[in-house]
Amino acid sequence: MTQSVLVQVGQCGNQIGCCFWDLALREHAAVNKNGIYDESLSSFFRNVDARVGGGDADISKGKICSLKARAVLIDMEEGVVNEILQGPLRDVFDSKQLITDVSGSGNNWAVGHKTFGRQYRERIVEKLRKTAEHCDCLQCFFVLHSMGGGTGSGLGTFVLNVLEEEFPEVYRLVTSVYPSGEDDVITSPYNSVLAMKELNEHADCVLPIENESLFDIVSKINQMTKSGKPGTTLKPRSLITSSEGGIRKHQAKPFDTMNNIVANLLLNLTSSARFEGSLNMDLNEISMNLVPFPQLHYLVSSLTPLYTLADVDVPPRRLDQMFSDAFSKDHQLIRADPKHSLYLACALMVRGNVHVSDLRRNIERLKPSLQFVSWNQEGWKTSLCSIPPVGHSHSLLALANNTCVKPTFMELRERFLRLFKKKAHLHHYLQVEGMEESCFTEAVSSLTSLIEEYRQLDATKRTPVQAPPRLNVAM
């Protein structure tokens, strides 16, 4: 069994990580009712025997002593990490795997990347190595961070660089939360574009998530639960909309629902690594099958049914509808419409009581409406995990390498250029040691190059086939 490690950086990364661990424990508890430490649990948890100085307990002896998450928590403001350590999940995290400061990065990528990166590099390497030593077969590092703030964007991408240097053979999968156009951090376009250059160069795969899209999904959930339609009632111990369910019993906060959506994405993404299935997919297969060009490693994700996210009591939807929804713009975690853009490749990760024949039938049904690049017409990767999400019969995570990400990156570049042309707030970055104006021009050049690659692919799309003109015969 392979193991993976979550590296949670900044406020957003740690909040999403906390949601993931809470929901993962609930999922494993629903399956592993006898409390036996097994290979399934070992993929993301260590079994620590407190009686022998905190060393790993023998998996062959089975019984759980004390579960510790395979995680490294990093934040330059200690508030969120302290809140986690004072909450119900405090015993899940090893206090030796935390790095915090008190000053924060001041919403400045340069402070996070250059200042704190330089200051904390040795400690970061030490914590990562210590976590890796507890793995028998380390397969993947998941980096969770936001793009708009200083610590998430700056130190998050610095950690990504460190991972590439210290663990070049280990897969690096990044979940990046992009700010909305109305973000209250005025320098977020600078931070995001500077971080994008690092993601282009050092990540194996990036799952971009947009705050705006998460907000839209939450709004749909609220509308649905208030509609009064039969069956659309909240479960009493809702995963998302109730603060009573699960391990975390603190008062729900505005971003809890949005963070839980991303945590559900990670649950589905890692289900094959955590549970058995007739057609499981290794995490490194995502990059192998979905990334034909190294730089084009941004994967658009969608979750369905949407009710899985809301944890709402509804009659089960038809299975085929679930597959159709996965390609609808309403289920994407960025504002995009992949169905009307060009696919390079696509993965369908299904959980629950679904057969391989169901997968094949729906792929054949959907193929005519989806446009794939000419050299990869059969670019599908499928995964089937037998364990469904808690309380549901099945779910589907679709990952698409699709040119529909281009508008998101173009809009980000426009917001960056509006600030940069005026040199607005630039002095806050340039006063950081090692930071020069050329860092900005190189970053926007890297983003422009990425956009151009997508544009060139878009230009190869087929034009709609038109019926040939009728022949007019003179009478």
Side-chain angles (χ1 to χ4, degrees), residues 286-304:
I286 296 172
S287 178
M288 287 166 51
N289 290 275
L290 298 188
V291 183
F293 305 112
Q295 195 175 17
L296 303 184
H297 54 232
Y298 294 86
L299 305 181
V300 180
S301 51
S302 61
L303 283 165
T304 179

Side-chain angles (χ1 to χ4, degrees), residues 164-237:
E164 185 177 37
E165 292 172 10
E166 300 292 330
F167 306 92
E169 304 302 318
V170 181
Y171 183 49
R172 297 176 300 282
L173 196 152
V174 186
T175 301
S176 304
V177 180
Y178 285 68
S180 67
E182 309 301 319
D183 191 68
D184 56 2
V185 177
I186 196 163
T187 55
S188 67
Y190 283 160
N191 298 331
S192 300
V193 172
L194 288 163
M196 279 287 293
K197 180 177 182 293
E198 305 300 316
L199 293 179
N200 287 346
E201 296 176 359
H202 304 292
D204 288 309
C205 266
V206 180
L207 303 181
I209 312 289
E210 280 186 316
N211 268 330
E212 218 162 340
S213 188
L214 295 177
F215 183 78
D216 287 346
I217 291 174
V218 171
S219 298
K220 290 187 189 96
I221 290 170
N222 291 334
Q223 289 172 9
M224 181 180 65
T225 55
K226 292 174 183 175
S227 67
K229 292 179 181 178
T232 56
T233 56
L234 287 179
K235 294 182 180 179
R237 295 175 65 80

Side-chain angles (χ1 to χ4, degrees), residues 435-463:
M435 196 69 185
E436 299 175 357
E437 194 167 321
S438 60
C439 297
F440 289 85
T441 55
E442 289 171 8
V444 76
S445 175
S446 173
L447 181 55
T448 299
S449 174
L450 180 67
I451 292 169
E452 179 60 20
E453 286 199 52
Y454 283 114
R455 191 197 65 76
Q456 290 178 10
L457 282 167
D458 264 335
T460 67
K461 278 199 301 186
R462 303 189 305 266
T463 54

Side-chain angles (χ1 to χ4, degrees), residues 44-65:
F44 278 86
F45 294 93
R46 295 167 52 213
N47 192 23
V48 176
D49 190 344
R51 295 165 299 177
V52 290
D56 284 9
D58 187 350
I59 189 171
S60 63
K61 295 181 180 177
K63 197 70 178 175
I64 292 175
C65 296

Side-chain angles (χ1 to χ4, degrees), residues 368-472:
S369 64
L370 306 174
Q371 190 165 169
F372 276 71
V373 288
S374 59
W375 39 263
N376 199 23
Q377 290 292 307
E378 302 299 323
W380 296 87
K381 180 67 180 175
T382 54
S383 165
L384 192 51
C385 173
S386 58
I387 305 297
V390 175
H392 298 274
S393 59
H394 49 254
S395 70
L396 169 61
L397 166 65
L399 298 177
N401 194 335
N402 190 291
T403 59
C404 67
V405 296
K406 184 181 66 173
T408 294
F409 296 154
M410 290 175 67
E411 184 185 339
L412 177 60
R413 182 179 62 177
E414 289 306 309
R415 296 206 304 267
F416 172 93
L417 290 174
R418 280 200 294 270
L419 286 177
F420 190 60
K421 284 175 181 176
K422 299 175 183 176
K423 308 298 183 188
H425 310 286
L426 212 58
H427 62 284
H428 294 300
Y429 291 79
L430 299 181
Q431 66 188 11
V432 175
E433 184 184 348
M435 196 69 185
E436 299 175 357
E437 194 167 321
S438 60
C439 297
F440 289 85
T441 55
E442 289 171 8
V444 76
S445 175
S446 173
L447 181 55
T448 299
S449 174
L450 180 67
I451 292 169
E452 179 60 20
E453 286 199 52
Y454 283 114
R455 191 197 65 76
Q456 290 178 10
L457 282 167
D458 264 335
T460 67
K461 278 199 301 186
R462 303 189 305 266
T463 54
V465 178
Q466 297 179 348
R470 289 184 178 180
L471 178 65
N472 292 320

